[in-house]
Structure formats: C-alpha cells, structure tokens
Amino acid sequence: MKDLFRKIKKVDKLLQLKEFEGIREIYSDSYLMDSIKLGISITRKKITEGQLTDEASIDSSIISNTFKLITLEQKPKLQKVLNCTGTVLHTNLGRAILSKKAKENLYLLADQYSNLELNLDTGKRGSRYDHITDLLKKLTGCEDALVVNNNAAAVLLILTALSKGKESIVSRGELVEIGGSFRIPNVMDFGGAILKEVGTTNKTHLFDYEDAINKNTALMVKVHNSNYTINGFTKTITAEELVPLSKKKRVPIYYDLGSGALFDFTAYGINEPTVKQLITSGVDILSFSGDKLLGGPQGGIIVGKKKLIDIIKKNQFLRAVRVDKLTLSALEGTLLEYLDMEKVRIDNPTINMLTISLEELKEKALLLSQMFKQEAIVFSIKKINSLSGGGSLPDKMFPSYSLVLADSEGISIPKIVDKLRFNTIPIIVRVKDNQLIMDLRTIKDEDFKMLVAEFSRIYHGEKL
Ligand SMILES: *Cc1c(COP(=O)(O)O)cnc(C)c1O
C-alpha cells in the first residue's frame, strides 16, 4: 500500500498528462490542479480500502476522478425539469415560465448596457420604472405604476409607506398566511402599520368597515383569498362595495390581489376580476405578482393612483426591494404581448395552459400515449383535474387528461418515480394510489420526444 502511495505522481506532473490537454483549454491550470488534488484524495482512499491494487491504473483512476468531480461541480444545480404534474403555477417548480418574447427580451439585454435609468429623449437621468409605466397604464387603466422584487415586498412597501403609525382596516376573514410564514398581521406589524381587525372569520359587513374608520385610519385593505376558501354561512365585502365608503370617508382602498390577472378569464370559467376592472371600479391601489396569473418573471407590480404611488416612490424601503433590469426586461416582453389579448392567450404559456381546451388535451394524451406504445409502454388515458397552483384560484378545478401507469408485475412505481427525478433532465410526475400520473396540461409538445426517450430508458432499465 505504502508503495502504491509513492507511485502517485505530483500534481503538476499529472496536469501535463495528454488526457488533460483538452480541458486545459477550458479551465485554468490552478483550477485544474485543485481538482486533481481532490481526484488524488479519492484514489488514495481507494488504495487504503484495497479497491485499487494495481500500480498501472493509478493515473487513470486519478484522471477519471478529476473529470467526474469537474463535471459534477460545473453543472448548475438550478436546472430545467419537466413538469408533468399539470399544476401550471407550481411553486416548487418555479411558478410561471416565460413566453418566447419575454425570454428574447431578457436574452438581448443580459450582456448589454441599457438605458435603465437614462432618459434617451433628454439625456438626463431617467427612472427604471418608466419603461413599463405606459404599458401598465394602457393594460390596467392605472395612473401610475411601480415594480419591486416580488409581491411580498410590494405589500410590505405599500403598508409601510401609506400606513406607518396609522391604522389599516382588514377583515378577520382575510388575515391570511400566504406561505413561507408571510402572514398579513405580522407583515403589518413589521411595516409599522397598525392592524385594525374588523368583522369575523366568516362574516364581515360594510358597517364593520364604517364603524372602524377614525382620524388615524390610513387604508382599507383587501387581501385576496389566494390559497383558501371560506364556504357556508359567509359574507364578505368586495373591493367594489367598499368604494362608496372609501369616497365618503376619504380612506383609500388597497387590494393585495396576489395573482392579479390582466387577461379576462371569464370565458374560460375562471371568475377572477381583472386588474383593469378593479381600477375602473375605484380601487385606489393594487399589488400583484409577476409570476402568478400574469405569467411573467417574479416581481411585485404596484398600480393605482399617482398621488399614492408618488408617496410610495419616496419611501426609503423601495431601494431595498428595487427591481433588477433583467426582471424589467422580461416583464416588458411579457406585457407587450398583452397588447393583443387574442394572441397573448396563445403566446403566454401560463394563460395558454390554463385555457387550453379539453379536446386539445385529449389529442395531446392520444399522441403521447401512441409514442409511448411504440416504446412498448402502455399507459391508460384518464380524465383528471389539474390545479393552477402557486397560491392562485384555490377552489378551481381544471378538467384535464392524463397518462396513468399502475404498479404491475416487475415494475415498481415508487422506484420509477425516483429515477425519473434523478434523471439528467429531472421528470416530475404525480403519484396517487401507487399510480404514476402525467397530466398533459403542463407538458409541452416540443418535449414529447425527449420525455418518451428518457422515460422508456428508465422504465425498461427498471423492468429488468
Ligand atoms: C402570492 C401572494 C403574495 C406574495 O406574492 P409573491 O410574489 O410570491 O411575493 C402576497 N399576497 C397574496 C394574497 C398572494 O397570493
């Protein structure tokens, strides 16, 4: 063993081996030498454990360890996965995916300087928010707009800017936890706003709001019930119903919409008021996520009255949640497509997946199952329900078609599911009652071929 250790070459000698010639054009010698050192330590361990006893294979062992280490280390850990769950806005899988146009816009700007804060007309300093303000004005009817890092930041910013040291009225039915321990009462507290709870969990009346208004009232806050529903003996006051009271008492309404929709989904059975409808009805300020129903990048979009947005723009906290140019470029690309509401339904992946017809899903299921059949894998086609996910449309079921594989002789569903997840391009499926389910809603046609190839390799490997 000692003898074998002595046969291990010095790091700089190993680096000179012809096997490293190619990779030395990609990485620096110092990085490679660090990697070779790690490669040596693995080989030493193998010698100690008696797995390597042949002097002639020491070099090749070190070389192969080093290449494996580099390949593993250089592979981004954040990577593409195939979403076969049918959940369109899957929080664990990154919520909304970008449209082609948003992606192109982002790509064009990524390695270039831009006029982010330069007004090209005047040559003077501009504002990063101006680039999307006109678009948002047209799409929502707002007077002014602002974008921050995410909607959680928007909520905190709005509350601290407009209600610090003053009361914000919220119905007890809307004191929600959004996820990741982001709770409305705590956020209010954190932002220095004084929470004035009104009504009860199941019922809040207009007089509850009216009775709560006093000299120190800054806002009436509505919070979208994004991730829960209250059924039965209930009463809530909609934002629209609050408008006359708001006008009479001169207390502005802020609506945390969560997943604000710019697209009108009513024709597709989704009853979600659009941001434009809410602004038209008189809501003063609204905030919503960029990567929920909008189908764009992560962001918190604030729209509403100029007077209020001006106050928010002056708040110190804005700087801490300032939106990045890459987000803005993807958001602008996303919003531009909304100028044509017919086309955005096709081009925006989120809207497209949420409004795709059952017939189309059935066709997709038939095609994919045919492709699997050619690889000797027989799925049954079943109707199921998909979810929108990501804290949006909690009680809405979307009828869909899926391919279903049951546990059977020689194959184990849990094992296949794990292997699919461990795959080079991880494939994420649903499992229910020991059945593997792939919902066609979120599987892109362009991924069919790859899905079938990868799946069948794993399936047939597993079966043997
Ligand atoms: C999702 C959600 C948020 C948080 O938005 P992010 O963009 O995830 O930060 C805030 N409020 C409501 C009602 C939500 O549904």
Side-chain angles (χ1 to χ4, degrees), residues 67-226:
F67 273 95
K68 270 191 210 145
L69 283 165
I70 293 175
T71 310
L72 201 67
E73 186 171 68
Q74 290 287 337
K75 188 179 166 217
K77 302 288 180 284
L78 183 61
Q79 57 175 327
K80 167 178 174 158
V81 308
L82 281 189
N83 176 7
C84 305
T85 68
T87 303
V88 178
L89 299 168
H90 199 303
T91 304
N92 298 0
L93 306 183
R95 294 225 285 235
I97 55 173
L98 294 181
S99 70
K100 294 269 181 308
K101 187 157 189 152
K103 177 178 153 180
E104 274 160 23
N105 232 24
L106 177 70
Y107 186 83
L108 284 174
L109 218 71
D111 62 349
Q112 303 296 333
Y113 292 106
S114 64
N115 59 333
L116 181 66
E117 292 198 344
L118 175 70
N119 184 325
L120 292 174
D121 292 333
T122 62
K124 300 222 167 72
R125 176 153 191 184
S127 156
R128 66 180 59 215
Y129 309 111
D130 286 352
H131 306 286
I132 42 122
T133 303
D134 283 345
L135 266 172
L136 283 169
K137 276 186 192 171
K138 177 153 189 207
L139 296 170
T140 71
C142 68
E143 291 175 8
D144 203 1
L146 187 61
V147 182
V148 294
N149 250 327
N150 55 19
N151 189 38
V155 176
L156 185 53
L157 175 66
I158 292 169
L159 289 173
T160 198
L162 302 181
S163 181
K164 190 170 188 156
K166 293 189 184 154
E167 290 179 5
S168 272
I169 304 172
V170 191
S171 157
R172 289 196 171 91
E174 294 172 21
L175 291 172
V176 305
E177 174 176 314
I178 290 143
S181 67
F182 190 86
R183 296 171 156 191
I184 291 296
N186 305 42
V187 172
M188 287 218 164
D189 196 35
F190 193 68
I194 301 163
L195 170 63
K196 181 85 181 172
E197 299 177 30
V198 296
T200 58
T201 306
N202 59 331
K203 283 206 175 199
T204 303
H205 302 273
L206 191 60
F207 61 74
D208 290 321
Y209 287 93
E210 183 153 20
D211 291 351
I213 292 175
N214 61 48
K215 282 209 187 80
N216 201 27
T217 305
L219 289 174
M220 288 190 277
V221 179
K222 284 283 298 172
V223 183
H224 195 285
N225 53 338
S226 307

Side-chain angles (χ1 to χ4, degrees), residues 381-401:
I381 298 177
K382 290 211 176 108
K383 241 178 121 171
I384 52 158
N385 283 315
S386 12
L387 294 168
S388 68
S392 65
L393 316 173
D395 51 352
K396 173 77 189 152
M397 289 297 178
F398 295 83
S400 182
Y401 276 93

Side-chain angles (χ1 to χ4, degrees), residues 320-371:
V321 293
R322 188 163 84 164
V323 70
D324 174 55
K325 62 183 173 302
L326 296 181
T327 302
L328 279 173
S329 67
L331 183 61
E332 189 174 17
T334 305
L335 292 175
L336 281 169
E337 286 182 322
Y338 275 91
L339 292 172
D340 185 340
M341 286 290 178
E342 300 261 326
K343 277 209 76 199
V344 77
R345 195 193 78 73
I346 309 297
D347 295 337
N348 184 292
T350 300
I351 304 178
N352 185 265
M353 287 187 269
L354 287 173
T355 60
I356 187 169
S357 72
L358 200 54
E359 296 85 80
E360 252 179 286
L361 288 164
K362 191 175 182 181
E363 268 172 41
K364 283 176 70 139
L366 285 168
L367 177 63
L368 188 59
S369 73
Q370 272 304 320
M371 289 170 71

Side-chain angles (χ1 to χ4, degrees), residues 265-332:
F265 286 97
T266 22
Y268 301 90
I270 304 171
N271 290 318
E272 198 55 26
T274 64
V275 177
K276 191 171 201 161
Q277 283 160 357
L278 290 164
I279 289 201
T280 308
S281 73
V283 177
D284 301 275
I285 193 138
L286 296 105
S287 71
F288 53 96
S289 293
D291 55 349
K292 289 187 183 170
L293 287 183
L294 183 74
Q298 178 185 304
I301 299 160
I302 302 171
V303 293
K305 300 262 160 71
K306 185 168 187 322
K307 201 175 66 187
L308 298 174
I309 299 230
D310 278 344
I311 299 171
I312 297 168
K313 278 184 177 167
K314 286 197 195 101
N315 193 281
Q316 287 291 314
F317 185 60
L318 175 59
R319 180 57 197 255
V321 293
R322 188 163 84 164
V323 70
D324 174 55
K325 62 183 173 302
L326 296 181
T327 302
L328 279 173
S329 67
L331 183 61
E332 189 174 17

Side-chain angles (χ1 to χ4, degrees), residues 79-87 90 92-94 97 353 368 372 417 420-430 437-439 441-456 458:
Q79 57 175 327
K80 167 178 174 158
V81 308
L82 281 189
N83 176 7
C84 305
T85 68
T87 303
H90 199 303
N92 298 0
L93 306 183
I97 55 173
M353 287 187 269
L368 188 59
F372 271 117
V417 169
L420 288 168
R421 204 179 59 251
F422 295 148
N423 195 41
T424 318
I425 296 175
I427 298 165
I428 313 297
V429 298
R430 267 161 76 175
I437 304 166
M438 291 195 290
D439 184 334
R441 183 179 300 277
T442 49
I443 310 175
K444 295 182 186 177
D445 294 4
E446 65 209 50
D447 285 330
F448 277 14
K449 245 174 115 170
M450 192 238 300
L451 173 60
V452 173
E454 300 290 302
F455 195 109
S456 64
I458 288 164

